[in-house]
Amino acid sequence: MGTTMSRSSNSSIRKSNKLLDEKDEKIKELEKEIKTLKKENESLKNKIEDLENKLDSHDDMAAFMENSAPEKIKKQERVKDLNDRNLPQIGDHVVSMWSVSQWQYFTATVKSFDKTDLKYLIDWDDKDPTGRNVDYFNLALDSVPSVQDIGVGSTVLFHQGTYSSTEIHGVSRSGGLRWHQGIVDNVTTTTNGAKLYEGRHTKTAQDGKWVTYKGYSYQFTGYSIEDFRLPPNVFDVLSMDDDDDDDDDDDDEHYDVYISYSKINSPSAIKNKEVSEDLPPSYEEAVLESICDPRKIASNLREKGVKVVMVEEEEYLKIVTTLKKSKIFIACLSDEYASNNRCRMEFQYAKKTLKIPVVPLVVGTDSFQWQMTVVGLLIAGDLYIHFKNKQVEEAKMTELCRALQNFLPKLRISDVQHLATGDARMDLQNDPNKSITGKPAIQGKSEMFFSYCWSNSHDALKRKEVSSLAGNRWSDPRAILKKLSKSTGMKSWMDVDRLRGADEMGLFGQIATGMGDSKIVISCVSSEYAESDNCRMEIQFAVKSLNKPTIALIVGDSDTWKSTSVGKMVQQQLTYFNLQQINDETKLNSKIKEITKAIMDRVGEKSKYIAPSLEEERVFTAPVYGDHVVCLHQNWAYFMATVIAFDESSMSYTVDWDDGDPSGRVQSYQDVALDAVLTSENEIGLGTTVLFPQGSYAGTEGNNIGGVRYHQGKITNIYKDSSDITRYDGVHTKDSNDGKWVSFRGFDDNFDNLELGDLRLSPNAMDALMACRQAFQLEE
């Protein structure tokens, strides 16, 4: 029996060994296959890399083609149809000035054109042999102009009076209509939509004009578009024979942007005494200091990598050739621009003839009479970028860069500042799948929102996104985020990973949504953070508006944050950890454990956080429809009004003034404050910008009823009086150099001894955005 078992056992072992050998062979064969597959995979990777390199090369070539000199195809897209131009050609019927009797115009036919002298040779309809050589600006195509081509301030030819057949200078002339040069002063629209025009003669007897003919009147009224003729644009005349010329050689310099402006809107041109005409009455020295200079706008664009050209000389042929080499036309609009012949003709030539994309900017003072001119008619309905004053210049530069990139997607614009990221600067991104830093954007909802100031990030300094660092690498918010994301296992939200290219209000909307979706907010507080409008906005929005669980981490290298409104909130309402003394990895990791525990305690089962419902009567603190507010009017003076509308695209409120004043009713969210007593002293600290009362104004007949003046100020001192009431002292944030009116009765540079109930606070951007989305039911 024992022998039998032994044989059986040996047989089993042999079978097992054989199976093992077969498995070894199979393993070896599989290993060979794996090696083969790895080689094939490596080969495929190399092929993919080659294809990607070719694709990158293709993209670079596409970018080059898109941003290079206009090619034949682009010329075809800008085909200049002579029939669409108000440009007299040989054989055309025209209305022309008769030089023998100045400033009278009669009908004729074009025989030839001398481009050197810019003169037409004509044959009069009545066969008069005299006065047949005419300057281009003294005749007009005998056809009805477009309604878009005539507005307030347009120079036109209009008929007034007739003349009978007669013999003049020995020549028999047939009769007809008399035409004259005039200027349009007013345009009205009838109930059936037709436009009627009023105006006056541009020339009088003092100019040598005959004014004693039958039917003469200095003014004309009730005219329709059919009653006018329009002289040609000099730039159309200069390019009359250039349609088939190949003068856009590859070797010539081309430009991304042509900037058209009136020197009277340039403070630097005025200071350099380059402006000969009288300045507008509103151009006081203080106003000039606050105006955005088109030359500065051009300089800023050049610093960001945009090829910009401005033609300062009155050389019209140079203007024509330069415009043809430009891809985008920036028009710096103002009343002065619209009334300047060169500017107006540049604008019309670029938009109507060359069909260059136009980006309209508004500069100068706050007058918008230009909207009634031909310039305004040509961009009616288009969005413009309002460079209202230097206070908004940086934000508007970013808006302008986005507009340029919309037309030239491959244009690389650097050193752009986003309002939502404070002073940080970076390349402008327009890829919706990439973050503002150019990295692929992380999608999906987050659980932990990180708020911080880029000036406290060592990583931001290394990437040259900021110019200086406050703090050290151990308290870098970006490094802390990575550690906390790992230790908590939570998905995080940080601007460099999540914010995608959008307009500035779109960025604020993304921040508000990201914060609302998160379970907890981590605010990296520092002196720089407390001084930043955007950082302060984020922590106030989280704590006050959303009632979101918030933990503060103290970073940076100073403690001045403690006396600010942010400091008060942190010290009195939040859990916070001081990381300023961390100087090695061990100490940092130990602190990370403490912070992690605090986070998990707040967001775990013990969390009492309940997100505010939009169904509640009031979630946000910004003004909404029907609210009584203190609102900016002009010259940095604020008055009482009621909100009637909100425009999310411009983040502006429309108000009705308490005193019935019809002017200045549209103002930025930054300049509108809810007229309500603040609920907590924590909302105001040293450095807080407030609105405070000082002085009053009387009523005026037919305009207003008078009331209290409010002004923008900054808190400089907070103290308790003998009755334990908190008092506030401060100073005006604006003075005469900012265009503020400081001669009203009761003016003082300082304010003191005010109580909390005397002060008002403007909302932050996110609170205004989310409040008005809720109240006005705006789409996200």
Side-chain angles (χ1 to χ4, degrees):
M1 179 73 72
T3 303
T4 303
M5 289 294 293
S6 178
R7 287 176 179 174
S8 175
S9 178
N10 288 336
S11 176
S12 297
I13 291 170
R14 282 195 298 274
K15 286 181 180 179
S16 297
N17 287 336
K18 186 178 181 181
L19 289 171
L20 289 172
D21 290 341
E22 289 175 354
K23 286 183 178 179
D24 286 341
E25 287 298 322
K26 286 184 178 179
I27 289 171
K28 288 178 181 178
E29 289 176 6
L30 289 172
E31 287 176 344
K32 287 181 180 179
E33 288 184 22
I34 289 171
K35 287 182 179 179
T36 301
L37 289 172
K38 282 184 176 179
K39 288 182 179 179
E40 291 178 358
N41 186 44
E42 193 64 33
S43 176
L44 286 172
K45 279 185 177 179
N46 292 333
K47 288 180 180 179
I48 289 171
E49 287 180 3
D50 289 341
L51 287 172
E52 287 177 341
N53 289 334
K54 288 179 181 178
L55 184 60
D56 289 341
S57 176
H58 177 271
D59 287 343
D60 289 342
M61 180 58 69
F64 172 76
M65 293 296 288
E66 179 175 345
N67 291 315
S68 63
E71 304 295 337
K72 293 288 186 182
I73 295 175
K74 287 193 175 182
K75 285 185 178 181
Q76 291 171 5
E77 291 174 352
R78 291 183 185 175
V79 170
K80 296 159 278 199
D81 187 354
L82 292 177
N83 293 327
D84 288 340
R85 288 201 233 172
N86 177 43
L87 185 60
Q89 303 286 309
I90 294 174
D92 283 341
H93 201 241
V94 294
V95 176
S96 177
M97 188 177 83
W98 185 39
S99 59
V100 176
S101 179
Q102 269 196 327
W103 310 120
Q104 293 194 81
Y105 295 74
F106 305 95
T107 53
T109 300
V110 174
K111 300 300 292 181
S112 64
F113 175 68
D114 185 340
K115 188 173 179 179
T116 303
D117 294 332
L118 298 183
K119 287 181 178 290
Y120 284 91
L121 177 65
I122 60 171
D123 278 346
W124 296 108
D125 286 1
D126 60 12
K127 309 304 181 184
D128 190 327
T130 62
R132 295 175 59 220
N133 284 298
V134 184
D135 291 312
Y136 77 92
F137 50 81
N138 281 328
L139 89 172
L141 198 62
D142 187 18
S143 63
V144 178
S146 165
V147 172
Q148 274 193 326
D149 289 335
I150 296 183
V152 173
S154 293
T155 299
V156 296
L157 299 185
F158 68 99
H159 61 80
Q160 187 183 77
T162 59
Y163 65 101
S164 305
S165 57
T166 186
E167 183 172 307
I168 302 178
H169 299 289
V171 177
S172 296
R173 299 192 59 171
S174 57
L177 293 173
R178 295 183 185 277
W179 292 81
H180 315 269
Q181 189 184 86
I183 188 167
V184 175
D185 291 326
N186 189 36
V187 183
T188 58
T189 304
T190 64
T191 54
N192 63 1
K195 292 190 179 296
L196 295 179
Y197 302 84
E198 299 174 4
R200 53 192 160 81
H201 284 267
T202 58
K203 306 299 178 182
T204 65
Q206 292 180 338
D207 301 299
K209 179 174 176 59
W210 183 39
V211 296
T212 57
Y213 62 84
K214 187 177 181 180
Y216 171 80
S217 173
Y218 177 63
Q219 296 179 321
F220 59 87
T221 60
Y223 276 51
S224 67
I225 193 73
E226 290 79 13
D227 298 317
F228 296 131
R229 300 296 181 261
L230 200 62
N233 185 323
V234 64
F235 300 122
D236 278 328
V237 174
L238 288 170
S239 59
M240 183 185 294
D241 301 323
D242 291 346
D243 296 322
D244 298 324
D245 291 350
D246 191 12
D247 55 6
D248 284 337
D249 297 330
D250 291 340
D251 294 335
D252 289 348
E253 186 172 11
H254 292 79
Y255 309 97
D256 297 318
V257 167
Y258 181 105
I259 295 184
S260 172
Y261 77 106
S262 170
K263 287 185 179 180
I264 203 168
N265 295 135
S266 169
S268 60
I270 293 172
K271 289 178 181 178
N272 293 338
K273 298 182 179 179
E274 299 173 44
V275 178
S276 57
E277 61 260 51
D278 293 335
L279 298 180
S282 60
Y283 272 39
E284 301 171 358
E285 186 173 346
V287 174
L288 282 176
E289 289 297 323
S290 67
I291 288 177
C292 296
D293 193 330
R295 290 180 175 178
K296 177 70 180 303
I297 293 172
S299 176
N300 284 342
L301 286 175
R302 292 188 185 104
E303 291 173 0
K304 298 178 190 304
V306 181
K307 292 189 70 175
V308 177
V309 63
M310 303 173 88
V311 179
E312 301 286 359
E313 308 87 353
E314 295 292 320
E315 297 179 14
Y316 285 179
L317 191 56
K318 181 178 179 180
I319 292 171
V320 169
T321 56
T322 306
L323 275 170
K324 288 181 178 180
K325 297 173 185 176
S326 302
K327 297 171 212 155
I328 296 176
F329 182 85
I330 291 180
C332 298
L333 304 179
S334 66
D335 293 351
E336 295 76 33
Y337 181 95
S339 63
N340 181 286
N341 283 331
R342 170 189 159 171
C343 294
R344 186 173 60 251
M345 288 190 294
E346 271 183 347
F347 185 93
Q348 290 175 298
Y349 181 67
K351 187 168 180 66
K352 294 196 66 179
T353 302
L354 297 181
K355 296 179 173 61
I356 300 174
V358 173
V359 177
L361 315 182
V362 176
V363 297
T365 57
D366 282 340
S367 176
F368 283 80
Q369 294 299 314
W370 59 267
Q371 290 182 325
M372 297 298 295
T373 70
V374 63
V375 171
L377 294 174
L378 284 172
I379 62 164
D382 291 355
L383 294 177
Y384 54 79
I385 302 172
H386 191 182
F387 279 76
K388 186 175 182 180
N389 51 52
K390 289 182 179 177
Q391 187 179 17
V392 301
E393 187 169 26
E394 193 68 56
K396 295 304 175 182
M397 281 302 303
T398 301
E399 192 175 337
L400 172 57
C401 289
R402 288 200 179 282
L404 298 181
Q405 208 173 63
N406 285 339
F407 287 115
L408 301 174
K410 298 294 182 180
L411 180 63
R412 291 170 183 169
I413 305 179
S414 60
D415 199 36
V416 175
Q417 179 183 352
H418 293 291
L419 283 178
T421 57
D423 294 331
R425 296 176 180 274
M426 62 210 78
D427 290 350
L428 187 63
Q429 303 293 329
N430 64 351
D431 186 338
N433 297 314
K434 289 184 177 180
S435 73
I436 55 175
T437 57
K439 300 189 299 184
I442 297 175
Q443 307 291 335
K445 290 187 176 182
S446 60
E447 300 168 285
M448 179 170 57
F449 185 98
F450 237 70
S451 173
Y452 72 106
C453 179
W454 288 39
S455 297
N456 300 131
S457 171
H458 185 261
D459 179 69
L461 180 67
K462 284 197 306 181
R463 296 175 184 275
K464 297 182 180 180
E465 295 166 345
V466 294
S467 57
S468 60
L469 173 69
N472 59 59
R473 66 190 183 96
W474 305 110
S475 59
D476 184 341
R478 294 182 183 177
I480 293 169
L481 169 72
K482 291 179 181 178
K483 288 181 176 291
L484 288 177
S485 296
K486 184 176 180 180
S487 65
T488 61
M490 298 171 68
K491 294 179 181 179
S492 58
W493 197 105
M494 181 174 269
D495 49 16
V496 292
D497 301 319
R498 297 272 188 165
L499 273 184
R500 297 181 303 282
D503 58 64
E504 295 306 307
M505 290 307 109
L507 294 178
F508 284 129
Q510 291 177 52
I511 292 172
T513 300
M515 191 178 290
D517 289 341
S518 297
K519 296 178 181 178
I520 191 167
V521 173
I522 309 297
S523 293
C524 295
V525 176
S526 65
S527 298
E528 294 73 29
Y529 184 99
E531 292 169 2
S532 165
D533 290 338
N534 299 307
C535 295
R536 187 168 59 247
M537 169 178 62
E538 289 177 9
I539 192 171
Q540 289 174 341
F541 185 69
V543 176
K544 292 169 56 181
S545 299
L546 295 181
N547 191 29
K548 185 75 67 172
T550 304
I551 291 176
L553 309 181
I554 310 305
V555 297
D557 52 18
S558 75
D559 61 1
T560 56
W561 61 271
K562 292 181 178 180
S563 60
T564 67
S565 59
V566 171
K568 286 187 173 185
M569 182 186 298
V570 168
Q571 295 172 93
Q572 297 179 22
Q573 296 179 245
L574 304 182
T575 299
Y576 66 94
F577 297 85
N578 196 324
L579 279 67
Q580 289 185 334
Q581 305 307 315
I582 302 294
N583 56 16
D584 62 45
E585 189 76 17
T586 301
K587 292 179 181 177
L588 177 59
N589 289 336
S590 175
K591 188 66 71 173
I592 290 294
K593 288 181 180 179
E594 295 179 40
I595 300 168
T596 300
K597 183 178 183 304
I599 291 172
M600 300 314 292
D601 286 344
R602 297 300 303 276
V603 302
E605 293 181 356
K606 297 179 181 179
S607 175
K608 297 180 180 179
Y609 170 65
I610 300 176
S613 167
L614 292 182
E615 301 301 320
E616 294 178 18
E617 182 177 350
R618 188 154 201 136
V619 175
F620 307 105
T621 58
V624 296
Y625 177 80
D627 280 341
H628 200 241
V629 294
V630 178
C631 181
L632 175 68
H633 181 242
Q634 61 184 10
N635 300 117
W636 298 111
Y638 295 71
F639 305 97
M640 296 295 185
T642 300
V643 172
I644 63 168
F646 177 77
D647 180 3
E648 181 173 337
S649 64
S650 62
M651 289 294 287
S652 59
Y653 287 94
T654 299
V655 301
D656 279 343
W657 298 107
D658 284 6
D659 59 18
D661 192 325
S663 64
R665 296 173 59 229
V666 179
Q667 299 292 345
S668 166
Y669 75 94
Q670 297 170 303
D671 296 317
V672 181
L674 193 64
D675 183 25
V677 177
L678 302 175
T679 57
S680 172
E681 292 181 358
N682 291 340
E683 297 183 62
I684 296 182
L686 294 180
T688 299
T689 299
V690 298
L691 300 183
F692 68 95
Q694 187 181 81
S696 61
Y697 67 104
T700 57
E701 185 177 353
N703 185 34
N704 60 57
I705 57 175
V708 177
R709 295 183 187 276
Y710 274 81
H711 314 269
Q712 189 184 88
K714 182 171 288 188
I715 301 297
T716 58
N717 186 34
I718 303 174
Y719 59 95
K720 295 278 189 181
D721 65 12
S722 57
S723 301
D724 202 35
I725 296 175
T726 303
R727 299 283 181 174
Y728 301 87
D729 300 341
V731 296
H732 283 268
T733 57
K734 307 296 179 183
D735 58 24
S736 57
N737 291 328
D738 301 298
K740 179 173 176 59
W741 184 40
V742 297
S743 57
F744 62 87
R745 180 180 296 179
F747 171 78
D748 193 306
D749 289 327
N750 305 302
F751 62 89
D752 53 48
N753 207 34
L754 296 184
E755 297 182 23
L756 186 67
D758 298 321
L759 307 177
R760 300 291 182 266
L761 279 179
S762 296
N764 63 57
M766 289 192 295
D767 210 48
L769 182 65
M770 302 309 284
C772 291
R773 278 182 178 174
Q774 173 190 343
F776 295 105
Q777 298 181 338
L778 302 174
E779 293 183 2
E780 294 189 19

